[in-house]
Amino acid sequence: MEYQQLTKDTIKDYVMQYPSAAEALGGAKEIAIEEIGDGNLNYVYRLRNAAAHNKSVIVKQAVPYLRMAGEDWPLSRNRMDFEIRALQFYNELVPSFVPKIYHADEDMSVIIMQDLRDHNVIRYRMIEGEVFPRIGEDVGKFLAETLFRTSGFGMDSLERRRLMQKFNLNDELCKLTEEFIFTFPYMEHDSNYDNPKTSDYARQTIRQDREYKLRVLKFKELFLTKADALLHADLHTGSLMGNTDETYVIDMEFAYFGPFGFDVGKIMANFFMAFTSHYYHSDDATYQGWLMEEAFKIWDRFESGFLKLWGEQERSAMLEVGMLSDEELAAYKKSFMKRLLQETVGFCACSLARRTLGIAGVPDIRKIEDEDLRSTLEITNLKLSQKLMMSYDTIETVGQFRDIVEQFYTDTNLSYMEKS
Ligand code: ADP
Ligand code: SR1
Ligand code: MG
């Protein structure tokens, strides 16, 4: 079918022609249609059987432009091809963590998928102070499974290179990341966000700081060159949906083969930004304590899961029985994990800066109306970014990483803010 942008008038007929989607809607005669997309790039619709609200599907369609910037900012629809491929692949690899697919259509840039109607977008609930008991554990497990099993440690060389080919051409979204995460925030650029005190701080510090910017460039180089594993590549708390029992990962259109630390660092940065935002949203440190625990649980569970899978793998592109003694392999693992931790910290620092200075902020903070309060929190995130970027290569253990973050927040002396 030739591409056409779906509308509320055309979407029902489009969806009902696919038997598994029609079945998920309970063969409805009357369907309620709602556009629920709150993302930056695409259109997302919920279709519900008007007579049975537990029969519903989600339809996500890419349009040939960047939704948040408008039709004047062209962006290839091919991003949906990669979301489809990644979601299909994850449905094989980690089915309990991703929505089921009812129909995928690369020509129409559409996925019809399971409606996670009993789950909520984690970011918005975290703003409200909701606790998700499984989140750190589940995200760490998702990362261990997806990153190990698509890496040279977990896959045969030929099989892996064939998989890489399916994601090599996610060119426009990779370029978007290169620019919006690793370039524009560190210079004057029209697309950047502007809150006067925050922008002044960036001009006087980060954008003058040669060493900080050279370090950012090093992480940009890693993003461009290091093909460790198939990444989700846009893993933030808005890409997680959950409840007390389950966690789901959505929105994998940025998927490509990149450095392990990018996914891990990005999601940890989102927990730290949520932590910062709770100087506004909370009245005391209770919820922040939970956020800090879960942020580091992500790392702990990721590391232990990754090493467990490695321990079970005898042969792969990277591993061959007889090449290394147990002792040699243990030494390699130790230095590998230290490097991965340092890369995680560096990517975390980039994420903190881009979500503060760039076009795509986090609603945890961007939605705060008072400019001055917002700026205090934004500058806090920038200072944390600076701290982490300038110290990532001194960090040898996750305990040191945590100490730096906790000490940073203690030193800020921030108090809980009064809302007007
Ligand atoms: P974008 O690629 O534009 O960022 P997302 O994939 O993040 O779009 O989806 C936008 C929103 O649509 C999500 O924040 C969520 O509210 C909703 N959504 C997406 N997928 C699902 C799903 N499978 N079930 C329920 N809601 C979904
Ligand atoms: C223009 S940048 C838009 C951002 O939204 C997505 O969620 C990605 O994070 C991307 O960088
Ligand atoms: Mg998206």
Side-chain angles (χ1 to χ4, degrees), residues 6 15 31 57 60 79 95 153 169 172 204 212 224 230 232 271 306 328-329 366 372 398:
L6 294 168
V15 168
I31 289 179
V57 299
K60 177 169 177 178
R79 61 186 183 272
F153 299 102
L169 291 177
E172 293 203 25
Q204 286 157 19
Y212 176 91
L224 265 88
L230 179 65
H232 177 288
F271 276 72
F306 194 99
E328 287 161 342
L329 189 58
R366 287 269 166 101
D372 280 347
V398 68

Side-chain angles (χ1 to χ4, degrees), residues 341-356:
L341 176 65
Q342 293 183 347
E343 287 178 11
T344 295
V345 177
F347 284 120
C348 176
C350 296
S351 178
L352 289 162
R354 72 76 59 125
R355 290 282 182 203
T356 306

Side-chain angles (χ1 to χ4, degrees), residues 309-326:
L309 291 168
W310 192 339
E312 291 160 5
Q313 187 86 29
E314 283 200 330
R315 290 188 167 82
S316 64
M318 275 296 288
L319 307 174
E320 184 55 77
V321 177
M323 181 188 164
L324 298 177
S325 68
D326 288 352

Side-chain angles (χ1 to χ4, degrees), residues 35-46 57-61 67 79-80 83 87 98-100 113-121 124 234 236 238-241 248-254:
E35 209 274 313
I36 58 164
D38 61 351
N40 295 330
L41 274 75
N42 305 294
Y43 284 82
V44 179
Y45 294 89
R46 168 173 283 130
V57 299
I58 294 293
V59 181
K60 177 169 177 178
Q61 184 176 42
R67 179 178 180 176
R79 61 186 183 272
M80 184 52 76
E83 178 153 359
L87 187 54
V98 291
K100 289 181 193 42
M113 64 183 139
Q114 178 187 358
D115 183 7
L116 302 170
R117 57 181 167 259
D118 299 325
H119 305 77
N120 294 296
V121 177
Y124 300 124
D234 196 19
H236 54 81
S239 303
L240 300 175
M241 294 187 69
Y248 279 84
V249 179
I250 60 167
D251 194 15
M252 52 249 0
E253 69 198 310
F254 281 77

Side-chain angles (χ1 to χ4, degrees), residues 209 211-212 215 385-394:
D209 187 341
E211 182 57 26
Y212 176 91
R215 286 171 176 239
S385 170
Q386 289 170 290
K387 183 87 200 164
L388 295 178
M389 188 53 96
M390 300 315 283
S391 59
Y392 81 86
D393 50 351
T394 66

